[in-house]
Amino acid sequence: MQPLIDNARTFGQRPEEFARLAEGQSPEVLFITCSDSRVVPALITGARPGELFELRTAGNIVPPYASERPTGEAATIEYAVEVLGVRDIVVCGHSHCGAVGALVRGDDLDAVPAVRDWLAHATPRPAGAAEDPEVAEGVQSHVLTQLLRLRSYPCVERRVAQGLLGLHGWYYEVHTGAVRSHRPHTDAFEAL
């Protein structure tokens, strides 16, 4: 913890670098990814403060849209699309994902009921080889499912239909740093 505190102390000693951020934000991208500490969107993309609007959830899950029971995730998506006017949404899964791995393997999660119940939002269960430590196939199929789920959000569906919003599926390899993007014409994740 101490290295984090030390950096936080020196971080605020450059106020001139951050003054413009007080004027507001206008990110062009909503970046939805896993809460995993090995996935750092700004590091992966090179984004500076104000350039990415982030939504991080266990397993980069986009819960089903339900207007009668709004979630923090739905509010974040709606705000990014309707208020900030993001032009693109990236759903970024990653190798060695514990959440997707648990789903692929069918792990017993009764000891962590909140995790179990959250991961239930990932239906259908991602395909993939249970013995693959990278869970590459499972994560990639899961990313595509989350992209489809995003399309069920009225604000996303409308903006996509108007040609004002692009949806992108990414797969990040934590062990190499490589990023692959889903290409609809080949239905494969290929290097950026």
Side-chain angles (χ1 to χ4, degrees):
M1 183 70 183
Q2 192 59 48
L4 301 177
I5 293 170
D6 293 343
N7 189 65
R9 284 184 180 140
T10 61
F11 191 72
Q13 293 178 1
R14 304 180 312 266
E16 65 283 353
E17 293 179 34
F18 300 97
R20 68 172 179 77
L21 297 175
E23 298 168 11
Q25 62 175 325
S26 56
E28 293 188 14
V29 177
L30 168 60
F31 200 92
I32 301 173
T33 195
C34 187
S35 304
D36 191 299
S37 63
R38 300 167 294 178
V39 180
V40 183
L43 186 61
I44 295 167
T45 63
R48 303 285 302 148
E51 293 180 342
L52 283 181
F53 200 65
E54 295 181 26
L55 173 58
R56 298 186 64 147
T57 68
N60 53 272
I61 292 173
V62 175
Y65 181 79
S67 60
E68 70 281 352
R69 300 186 98 194
T71 63
E73 296 81 17
T76 299
I77 293 164
E78 185 175 81
Y79 188 81
V81 172
E82 296 288 17
V83 177
L84 297 176
V86 297
R87 302 279 307 161
D88 294 282
I89 299 177
V90 173
V91 175
C92 182
H94 66 93
S95 68
H96 304 87
C97 182
V100 174
L103 291 167
V104 168
R105 291 185 302 273
D107 291 354
D108 178 2
L109 300 173
D110 288 341
V112 283
V115 173
R116 177 197 63 217
D117 294 349
W118 173 253
L119 294 183
H121 288 302
T123 57
R125 184 172 151 184
E131 64 280 353
D132 176 14
E134 290 180 36
V135 251
E137 182 184 350
V139 169
Q140 291 172 10
S141 72
H142 176 69
V143 163
L144 297 178
T145 299
Q146 302 320 297
L147 286 172
L148 286 174
R149 177 82 49 77
L150 269 172
R151 289 178 177 274
S152 73
Y153 283 62
C155 62
V156 172
E157 179 183 36
R158 184 175 59 258
R159 292 282 171 110
V160 168
Q162 294 169 338
L164 300 174
L165 183 64
L167 302 180
H168 312 273
W170 285 12
Y171 173 70
Y172 171 65
E173 293 181 344
V174 298
H175 57 292
T176 67
V179 179
R180 301 179 189 282
S181 179
H182 181 258
R183 308 285 191 220
H185 62 282
T186 61
D187 195 27
F189 281 80
E190 301 173 10
L192 285 176

